[in-house]
Amino acid sequence: MWVRIASRGAFTAHQTLHCLRPPSFSPAVVARFVAFSSSSAMAMTKKVGTHNGTFHCDEALGCYIIRLTDKFAGAEIVRSRDQSVLDNMDAVLDVGGVFDLEKDRFDHHQRGFDQTFGRGFVTKLSSAGLVYKYYGPEIIAKELSLHVKHPDVDRVYIALYKSFVEAIDAIDNGINQYDVTDPPKYVDNTNLSARVAKLNPDWIEEQSTQKENAAFMQAMELTGKEFSEALRYQARSWLPARTVVANCLASRFEVDKTGEIMVLKEFCPWKLHLFEIEEELKLEPSIKYALYEDERSKQWRVQAVAVGPGRFESRKALPLPWRGLRDDELSKQTGISGCVFVHMSGFIGGNKTFDGALAMARKALELP
Ligand SMILES: *[C@@H]1O[C@H](CO)[C@@H](O)[C@H](O)[C@H]1NC(C)=O
Ligand SMILES: *[C@@H]1O[C@H](CO)[C@@H](O)[C@H](O)[C@H]1NC(C)=O
Ligand SMILES: *[C@@H]1O[C@H](CO)[C@@H](O)[C@H](O)[C@H]1NC(C)=O
């Protein structure tokens, strides 16, 4: 795939650079990129403009994302601040002072710009967030091979914004992670925005437009690779796990009439999904215990659900008299045979069988 970059605004000064097959993206997208390198297709290649000079994470990612759409597949990236050049672009990102979806103008620097992702997110958007907001569903639908209106597309769309894109918007807009007046105790210089910033030619290096454009290509590849990886994780790991947890929650009353015990029929990362789905569906009463089989020991675990994400305290820890006991001593205390252990803090316990673990959970619910 070829991408050309206008160096000084005029198209006569194009440099042609190798790059930008999205790193192992879904076959459909790759096929389209290849198709666009044919000469007849080249003639109708769209142009996406962004500013020249120092670049940032947001327009690098924005340029990558917009090229994943059908409309801008294989588009040429043109870097310039010359308005007459920008006026001839099919899309303009991060420069030009205009946000206009109809015209594919995606600047966020102008006075009065107040776009956020919505859906509960209040962080002001960068050019990456803007492009993602409007073209994200199409890109995600392609990755999932689903219709754009499928609810799973929407789930991944929100999850990917929350887990990946929002931080780029926030850092670009200088929004702190926490409301604190003290300076942070340490700095993490390895966030994606920081790594993109470091790709800019250093001041001690010789400055050239060519070098800067080549570095911008690298920035697009870096941000694109991480975006694609994050999307793939959401599609192949996060979403299936969510489906497992949602199904287990739906059948919770078949496990116990209280509806407070969930059985994971298939082990997967379940905690965050549980909190999210409970909140989404306003589940009452909340789940107190999750039962699942430990792969290695083939024993069953009964785990007390924490009060919230990232918290250690349990909603209803296993009973105090059981804690720290093992095997026969524990079985005697619980009155349930085959008990294996209950952790000192009461957040987890085990029985040799599913029925044993369920009996432990039921008894724990009854005890104060
Ligand atoms: C950006 O491009 C313009 C022409 O479009 C040129 O005059 C200017 O020097 C360039 N700026 C930087 C920082 O390279
Ligand atoms: C990201 O990296 C930059 C540059 O090193 C740093 O100043 C900033 O605090 C980091 N931001 C976050 C949210 O970690
Ligand atoms: C707990 O596991 C043991 C060992 O398999 C089993 O004998 C016992 O019946 C289980 N407890 C219950 C209540 O099923």
Side-chain angles (χ1 to χ4, degrees), residues 171 177 187-189 191 194:
I171 292 177
Q177 277 180 295
V187 184
D188 175 10
N189 286 310
N191 58 65

Side-chain angles (χ1 to χ4, degrees), residues 80-133:
S80 174
R81 283 190 185 276
D82 185 334
Q83 194 56 48
S84 62
V85 171
L86 296 176
D87 286 344
N88 283 313
M89 298 289 119
D90 299 291
V92 175
L93 274 61
D94 210 38
V95 64
V98 177
F99 163 58
D100 182 343
L101 185 57
E102 299 282 290
K103 299 198 169 80
D104 286 303
R105 270 18 189 192
F106 296 107
D107 198 7
H108 66 116
H109 295 103
Q110 57 278 21
R111 193 187 278 250
F113 177 86
D114 59 358
Q115 282 269 317
T116 62
F117 187 73
R119 316 283 292 264
F121 295 93
V122 297
T123 301
K124 203 168 117 180
L125 300 182
S126 67
S127 63
L130 260 184
V131 172
Y132 180 81
K133 177 173 177 177

Side-chain angles (χ1 to χ4, degrees), residues 214-273:
F216 184 71
M217 289 283 118
Q218 277 184 293
M220 279 177 69
E221 284 189 273
L222 172 67
T223 54
K225 181 169 180 287
E226 301 208 3
F227 174 81
S228 303
E229 279 168 4
L231 172 53
R232 243 176 295 143
Y233 164 78
Q234 297 293 337
R236 297 189 195 162
S237 169
W238 180 89
L239 184 64
R242 189 193 187 283
T243 308
V244 168
V245 176
N247 291 341
C248 296
L249 278 175
S251 56
R252 68 196 186 280
F253 286 106
E254 291 158 30
V255 176
D256 188 76
K257 63 177 185 335
T258 59
E260 294 177 79
I261 303 171
M262 173 180 83
V263 179
L264 269 181
K265 286 159 193 144
E266 192 183 336
F267 189 77
C268 64
W270 55 275
K271 291 175 204 158
L272 271 181
H273 291 295

Side-chain angles (χ1 to χ4, degrees), residues 7-10 51-54 79-83 85 209 212:
S7 52
R8 296 226 143 63
H51 61 81
N52 62 345
T54 303
R79 300 182 70 233
S80 174
R81 283 190 185 276
D82 185 334
Q83 194 56 48
V85 171
T209 307
E212 186 187 278

Side-chain angles (χ1 to χ4, degrees), residues 335-340 351-357 359-360:
I336 299 164
S337 57
C339 289
V340 183
N351 187 282
K352 288 178 191 161
T353 67
F354 167 70
D355 289 337
M360 286 171 79

